[in-house]
Amino acid sequence: MRELNEVTAMEKDGSRRGIRPAAKSFALVLLGAGIATAGGHTLSTLVQPENASPTATDVFWDNGLWGLGDNETPDHEVQSQNIQPNDLDANELDNRVAIAPSVSGPNIIADIVSQVGPSVVRIDAARTVQSNLPPMFQDPFFRQFFGDRVPIPQGEQVQRGVGSGFITSADGQIITNAHVVAGADQVDVTLQDGRSFTGRVMGADSVTDVAVIKIEASNLPTVAISNSDQIQPGEWAIAIGNPLGLDSTVTAGIISATGRSSREVGVPDKRVDFIQTDAAINPGNSGGPLLNLNGEVIGVNTAIIQGAQGLGFAIPINTVQRISAQLIETGRVEHAYLGIQMVTLSPEMKQNINNDPNRPFDVADDAGVLIARVMPNSPAQRGGLRSGDVIVSIAGQPVKDSSSVQQVVEGTQVGQDLALTLRRDGREQTVTVRPGNLPNQ
């Protein structure tokens, strides 16, 4: 299932066209660090196609492989100032923005890091790519004029990247992000104590950005897992990882929000309701744990919004547990798929559609989830869904926006009948659709 305002599963032929984003754009970077070959930096950029809806954003992807030149050193020093209450008068105390949490001891974060740190690993991934000159430079007619000044094809090149992960079983199962190991020929895992292992990717799911790596070891330290459904905005959070290649870096902040949809975050091709945090995370933190004050993992750090301060996102650990269990068992994940493009209706959206002279249908509803397009040969088409239908409820649950529809579908098993109540031509009716597996994962 794909939404009109969430369609970034780009067609490989690039032939689809639509409405350019009208909302304020921002860039989002997956935290594996940027592509680079030896001795230089390059950034792999993927811009959301023009078939996106007015609420979509231009998205820039950093796909997990990067490197620093020999003489480059990241600026990572952060200064902090400790202010004692006795140094402030009463008015100054009242005007302070943040107040430290009431905790059991002054070194609680240090204690948590000491406990969990040995379970957090560094992941170095490498992939081999073919580097070819553009056809123009390979033309003999062109080369006879420019001779040796034409760059020589480099052939195969190795791209390297760094990310983070954490150990979930004493025999060497490790959770990380799918984009950290995407396309990797070799994965090396380094523990905090300096031991290094060759990792095997058991499975990776690009739809939720979760991957599982296995190393051959025993008696490894493991993390404790929390219930991410119980976290609330305002709770304290700790991130551990290897940002910019700086091993075992610790940052702390709070849970800024929960349930941020993929559309809100700017990655509408994903199926995750993200945790938002202001704990500082940077390229290289990808795959590392987000912890609560009990030292338990509540999420997997995965993304930042480029150019923004204090905005980071993590995949809830409950989602990670569900996906990783399937990856460990079968090496792949099934995601229920209807094959519709949707848009959340509002009076303004209704007016915009009805004012379009090329509209395929008129919209009578001010609210609900409009089916803007039914994909050919999809479960939705076979089930009788039509463009112009408005979804009122799905699986007996009323829905008000497209994200709600996607959440219900994602929780449905492939091949399991799903009842949708629709408003069509002014009347309600129920249609049963049997979801298939999301293609092109």
Side-chain angles (χ1 to χ4, degrees):
M1 177 197 59
R2 300 183 291 185
E3 305 185 11
L4 184 65
N5 60 347
E6 295 191 341
V7 179
T8 57
M10 294 111 186
E11 306 295 335
K12 292 185 179 179
D13 61 5
S15 61
R16 291 167 54 189
R17 294 291 183 269
I19 307 172
R20 285 292 295 169
K24 181 178 180 181
S25 297
F26 53 83
L28 177 133
V29 179
L30 288 181
L31 297 184
I35 285 186
T37 55
H41 296 277
T42 62
L43 178 64
S44 177
T45 304
L46 177 61
V47 182
Q48 189 165 329
E50 295 191 354
N51 62 337
S53 77
T55 59
T57 59
D58 286 341
V59 177
F60 297 84
W61 295 87
D62 179 348
N63 64 349
L65 295 161
W66 66 281
L68 290 174
D70 294 337
N71 297 321
E72 296 179 83
T73 303
D75 182 9
H76 60 275
E77 295 185 1
V78 179
Q79 297 183 351
S80 62
Q81 183 178 16
N82 296 320
I83 302 176
Q84 300 300 324
N86 291 337
D87 297 333
L88 304 174
D89 61 28
N91 291 330
E92 289 175 319
L93 283 171
D94 289 339
N95 292 329
R96 292 178 64 182
V97 175
I99 299 176
S102 175
V103 295
S104 58
N107 296 319
I108 184 171
I109 292 180
D111 292 340
I112 290 171
V113 172
S114 177
Q115 170 192 338
V116 180
S119 304
V120 181
V121 302
R122 173 185 173 126
I123 298 174
D124 291 281
R127 68 178 180 183
T128 303
V129 297
Q130 188 69 31
S131 177
N132 295 318
L133 285 176
M136 179 180 67
F137 290 103
Q138 300 180 34
D139 190 326
F141 178 80
F142 182 88
R143 293 181 66 88
Q144 73 176 331
F145 288 100
F146 292 90
D148 294 338
R149 285 177 292 174
V150 177
I152 304 300
Q154 297 299 310
E156 290 186 345
Q157 291 186 335
V158 177
Q159 296 178 340
R160 303 184 185 278
V162 62
S164 307
F166 53 92
I167 305 169
T168 58
S169 70
D171 63 350
Q173 289 178 0
I174 296 168
I175 297 293
T176 187
N177 281 143
H179 75 265
V180 170
V181 296
D185 304 313
Q186 180 179 339
V187 176
D188 295 319
V189 177
T190 304
L191 275 58
Q192 190 184 64
D193 62 14
R195 287 183 291 166
S196 183
F197 300 86
T198 297
R200 173 175 60 89
V201 179
M202 300 183 70
D205 179 49
S206 62
V207 178
T208 55
D209 201 20
V210 174
V212 180
I213 297 172
K214 181 69 169 63
I215 60 175
E216 297 303 321
S218 59
N219 299 320
L220 296 176
T222 61
V223 296
I225 303 297
S226 184
N227 180 359
S228 56
D229 289 342
Q230 296 179 350
I231 63 176
Q232 301 178 44
E235 294 183 10
W236 285 78
I238 305 165
I240 306 179
N242 307 292
L244 306 176
L246 303 173
D247 292 351
S248 303
T249 295
V250 181
T251 57
I254 62 169
I255 302 299
S256 303
T258 60
R260 292 296 194 201
S261 69
S262 301
R263 174 181 56 81
E264 291 176 304
V265 171
V267 285
D269 61 322
K270 305 302 177 187
R271 290 193 177 183
V272 176
D273 288 331
F274 290 94
I275 301 168
Q276 180 181 327
T277 179
D278 68 352
I281 52 179
N282 291 282
N285 271 113
S286 274
L290 187 69
L291 309 166
N292 60 20
L293 285 185
N294 293 323
E296 302 165 332
V297 179
I298 56 176
V300 177
N301 299 318
T302 190
I304 58 174
I305 294 178
Q306 193 175 42
Q309 297 183 7
L311 291 177
F313 299 92
I315 307 167
I317 194 61
N318 288 13
T319 299
V320 174
Q321 290 280 80
R322 174 174 58 86
I323 298 300
S324 63
Q326 296 180 61
L327 293 175
I328 292 169
E329 182 177 356
T330 66
R332 61 189 300 270
V333 178
E334 289 189 337
H335 294 277
Y337 163 77
L338 293 184
I340 58 177
Q341 295 175 0
M342 303 175 293
V343 63
T344 302
L345 285 174
S346 65
E348 181 182 6
M349 181 63 69
K350 170 188 172 182
Q351 182 178 1
N352 289 341
I353 295 173
N354 288 338
N355 287 342
D356 184 351
N358 298 317
R359 64 187 181 278
F361 46 75
D362 290 322
V363 177
D365 297 89
D366 291 332
V369 181
L370 173 71
I371 298 178
R373 183 185 177 198
V374 176
M375 308 303 293
N377 303 315
S378 65
Q381 185 184 60
R382 292 190 290 270
L385 298 183
R386 303 177 188 172
S387 299
D389 288 344
V390 176
I391 302 174
V392 177
S393 67
I394 182 168
Q397 303 179 37
V399 291
K400 296 182 179 179
D401 53 48
S402 53
S403 296
S404 300
V405 175
Q406 181 160 291
Q407 289 174 8
V408 175
V409 175
E410 177 65 15
T412 303
Q413 293 184 359
V414 172
Q416 174 183 320
D417 286 346
L418 189 62
L420 289 84
T421 300
L422 311 171
R423 197 156 42 242
R424 178 185 294 171
D425 299 327
R427 295 178 297 178
E428 287 192 3
Q429 59 181 285
T430 298
V431 175
T432 299
V433 180
R434 182 169 294 179
N437 187 30
L438 181 66
N440 301 323
Q441 293 186 56

